[in-house]
Amino acid sequence: MGKAFSTFRARKSIRSKRASFAFESVQNVQKDAEPLKYFLPNFIEDTDIMVILHFLDRYLFQSNFNAPIEEQLIDGNFKILDACCGAGTWVLDMASIYKSSNFIGIDLCPVFPTEIKPYNVEFVQGDILEGLPFEDNTFDYVHQGNMVEIYTLGQWRFITMELIRVCKPGGYIEFTEPELGSNPGPILSKFYDALIELSESRNVKIRMYDNLISNLNSIPMVQNVESELKCIPLGSRRGGNAGHEYLEVHNGFFLNVPMPETMCKFMGLSVEQYLEMFKEARKEVADGISPECEVYRIWCQKIYEEDE
Ligand SMILES: C[S@@+](CC[C@H](N)C(=O)[O-])C[C@H]1O[C@@H](n2cnc3c(N)ncnc32)[C@H](O)[C@@H]1O
């Protein structure tokens, strides 16, 4: 297994270190009146998980992106946006490799570094659902990752159009997203079913690969829609070190606050029963009955104006 894994260990939850970025309460999830802006965890330990996930994805694809932009990135003066950048891990990693290009990360919550950061990086706080605070045709490359569980289908359409709007003609837009694992064991299936039900109650679709592709193919302003899908069995028994680390990320998603409290209502369980059942799901995976986790990249090019 590559160097990336030796550096990163899944960390235990340290509730006392929790930062106070709780956006929507579980009650709001249950009320279900308005689409939630953001209902997933975004605490310190989740940020740790997102950092681990970044390096796992980089290992899986052996790169931070698939769009054909490497030469321009090296040449420099390339302007890159990472939408919903979270802790800014992708941005910071890219900026340290491509030192003469310029990177901007935007996120609803200031979980990114505000003081200590490289000279070629800027972070902005903003809500993409209110429109990106950038002029049309600003960036050479626009990236967004790990947002599948967050936007409703309608919001995806709006956000995709925003990402395309701020991309220069000839520039590239790229998404990196996980797909909910396939072939889970019988116990883990119950968690997946509840997650799908919870998401559908919010008009959020968990398996978005086909939607993203057909959405992009239906937009006349883009061309050359391409994708790559990587598959890894969860757990060390079938997936080795990478499978072990992806499993830790996967488990963190189901175990970190507020997910147990949110999900148990969809499963007719108390939080204690939920946690007990998740232990059984873990055992199922440890015994080798594990799902295949898929991660995909989809990228496309904004057409040149004369092609429009
Ligand atoms: C699962 S994290 C992904 C972070 C980052 N893209 C990564 O891969 O590490 C989701 C991020 O989306 C941000 N987010 C959610 N809704 C947003 C919105 N409407 N506008 C901007 N950022 C948003 C959250 O604050 C959070 O940092």
Side-chain angles (χ1 to χ4, degrees):
M1 183 89 228
K3 217 161 100 212
F5 289 104
S6 56
T7 331
F8 293 92
R9 292 239 173 80
R11 285 156 221 186
K12 299 231 159 37
S13 295
I14 306 168
R15 303 285 168 208
S16 58
K17 273 175 56 183
R18 183 177 300 292
S20 54
F21 297 123
F23 311 108
E24 301 284 350
S25 67
V26 173
Q27 282 84 351
N28 283 346
V29 174
Q30 298 307 308
K31 263 196 256 150
D32 201 25
E34 292 287 318
L36 298 177
K37 233 172 222 171
Y38 191 54
F39 74 100
L40 292 175
N42 201 4
F43 303 121
I44 294 288
E45 60 267 37
D46 309 300
T47 303
D48 286 351
I49 281 180
M50 295 316 295
V51 172
I52 295 166
L53 186 57
H54 164 76
F55 287 100
L56 284 169
D57 288 349
R58 190 180 83 172
Y59 170 79
L60 200 60
F61 286 90
Q62 292 290 300
S63 73
N64 278 330
F65 55 87
N66 277 38
I69 54 166
E70 173 103 39
E71 269 179 39
Q72 295 98 310
L73 276 167
I74 293 168
D75 287 350
N77 289 324
F78 215 52
K79 209 167 169 191
I80 297 106
L81 174 70
D82 187 25
C84 308
C85 63
T89 317
W90 185 90
V91 165
L92 294 168
D93 191 21
M94 288 288 286
S96 71
I97 302 168
Y98 305 104
K99 292 190 167 59
S100 49
S101 285
N102 296 304
F103 296 81
I104 296 188
I106 184 167
D107 200 282
L108 186 61
C109 315
V111 284
F112 44 71
T114 48
E115 300 289 329
I116 300 169
K117 53 188 171 55
Y119 62 89
N120 57 340
V121 170
E122 202 185 315
F123 290 110
V124 178
Q125 188 173 0
D127 182 351
I128 191 171
L129 294 173
E130 287 175 7
L132 286 165
F134 308 109
E135 300 287 325
D136 297 358
N137 310 331
T138 302
F139 298 95
D140 297 287
Y141 174 69
V142 179
H143 174 264
Q144 186 187 260
N146 298 309
M147 297 299 289
V148 272
E149 303 92 356
I150 294 166
Y151 304 138
T152 65
L153 289 172
Q155 288 169 341
W156 265 108
R157 181 86 188 170
F158 172 77
I159 279 148
T160 305
M161 295 309 291
E162 272 298 282
L163 300 180
I164 295 168
R165 178 184 69 74
V166 299
C167 186
K168 290 179 189 168
Y172 284 85
I173 301 104
E174 180 158 354
F175 302 92
T176 300
E177 294 293 347
E179 195 86 319
L180 189 64
S182 48
N183 304 318
I187 303 173
L188 194 57
S189 286
K190 297 198 166 86
F191 289 87
Y192 283 15
D193 291 347
L195 180 63
I196 291 167
E197 197 187 324
L198 160 68
S199 305
E200 281 175 359
S201 76
R202 306 230 43 82
N203 199 22
V204 168
K205 198 166 159 58
I206 287 284
R207 293 195 166 99
M208 275 295 291
Y209 176 84
D210 290 339
N211 285 66
L212 282 177
I213 295 267
S214 57
N215 188 14
L216 288 172
N217 276 324
S218 73
I219 299 172
M221 263 182 309
V222 295
Q223 62 185 1
N224 304 330
V225 179
E226 292 187 66
S227 67
E228 186 178 3
L229 211 138
K230 298 276 189 190
C231 181
I232 187 152
L234 291 189
S236 54
R237 192 149 161 170
R238 292 177 56 227
N241 288 345
H244 172 77
E245 296 292 341
Y246 270 109
L247 178 64
E248 292 297 324
V249 172
H250 167 274
N251 291 350
F253 178 83
F254 285 100
L255 292 176
N256 287 347
V257 174
M259 290 308 267
E261 204 177 328
T262 309
M263 289 270 293
C264 71
K265 303 202 167 110
F266 283 82
M267 298 172 81
L269 301 172
S270 66
V271 173
E272 292 70 29
Q273 287 169 326
Y274 174 96
L275 295 174
E276 205 46 50
M277 197 165 147
F278 202 82
K279 270 192 203 154
E280 289 170 36
R282 290 181 99 132
K283 188 168 178 316
E284 185 178 76
V285 174
D287 290 343
I289 310 166
S290 62
E292 270 100 46
C293 162
E294 286 169 343
V295 182
Y296 56 84
R297 290 209 174 129
I298 300 176
W299 65 100
C300 64
Q301 186 177 31
K302 182 166 173 180
I303 61 168
Y304 294 95
E305 265 147 34
E306 58 266 30
D307 297 339
E308 278 179 291

